[in-house]
Amino acid sequence: MKVLLSESDLKNIVSRLAAAIAADCGGRRLLLVGLLKGCQPFLGDLCRALSSYNLPLTLDYLSAGSYVGTQSSGRVTIGDQLSAYNWPDYEVIIVDDIFDTGLTLSEVVAHLRRQGAVAVRTCVLLRKAGSTRVEFKPDYCGADIGNHFVVGYGLDFNERYRELPDIRVLSEEHYQGSK
Ligand code: XMP
């Protein structure tokens, strides 16, 4: 599989995102909500990079997904595992691995607003060209990529390849023969 973003590319991207988030935070309490499962290890590295800015940081997770194999099903399912927060106290940043049609993030933003979140922003590692179906744009984006199905650094194909340390393009032979 072809490497699209190396470990050192990812390190630079994460440092840049952390600096941008820290610059905008203005000392308010940040609640990072990672979307499972793909946000790992991006969220871990982002938190480590943010730690050097000494921000009041809280971490939580929510499961959300719409993909079956390499296709968006168009229907987003959202879990209910978030703790109860006094939402107005927090500047919420939803963290996801990749923005494709945009349905997942836009549904999760709407979901958190319904729970009472007031300040909600979004941060994605990657944004895919060409398939956006919503008006909405992520506030922070690590890198724009072509319309490839990618794996590694938390991204999977049918639960495989999340462990890869870099981002690779899944070739067709993989999705035809992968177990
Ligand atoms: P939407 O279309 O809702 O998609 O913006 C976001 C979610 O879809 C998954 N996704 C991918 N997963 N490689 C992956 O491993 C990809 O190229 C890819 N494109 C979309 C992912 O779960 C993301 O949260």
Side-chain angles (χ1 to χ4, degrees), residues 117-148:
V118 185
V120 185
R121 281 178 289 149
T122 55
C123 172
V124 294
L125 176 67
L126 306 173
R127 174 169 48 195
K128 237 191 237 195
S131 42
T132 308
R133 288 201 225 158
V134 291
E135 285 294 302
F136 171 94
K137 285 197 178 96
D139 297 288
Y140 304 98
C141 171
D144 283 294
I145 64 166
N147 197 2
H148 320 287

Side-chain angles (χ1 to χ4, degrees), residues 35 63-67 72 75-78 94 96 98-99 101-110 134 136:
L35 301 191
S63 58
S66 61
Y67 253 63
S72 172
R75 272 210 346 256
V76 181
T77 41
I78 300 176
I94 303 165
D96 201 9
I98 189 163
F99 186 93
T101 63
L103 289 172
T104 306
L105 265 193
S106 64
E107 293 277 330
V108 172
V109 169
V134 291
F136 171 94

Side-chain angles (χ1 to χ4, degrees), residues 10-83:
L10 292 169
K11 204 166 176 229
N12 291 334
I13 288 170
V14 169
S15 307
R16 190 172 48 72
L17 288 171
I21 290 171
D24 292 345
C25 160
R28 289 182 298 272
R29 291 169 77 177
L30 271 187
L31 169 60
L32 298 190
V33 176
L35 301 191
L36 294 170
K37 305 173 190 170
C39 71
Q40 306 268 19
F42 171 44
L43 183 58
D45 286 346
L46 186 63
C47 287
R48 272 187 287 278
L50 281 168
S51 71
S52 55
Y53 295 93
N54 247 337
L55 306 171
L57 192 66
T58 302
L59 261 187
D60 214 328
Y61 298 90
L62 188 60
S63 58
S66 61
Y67 253 63
V68 180
T70 60
Q71 299 293 321
S72 172
S73 70
R75 272 210 346 256
V76 181
T77 41
I78 300 176
D80 58 4
Q81 58 277 77
L82 268 188
S83 312

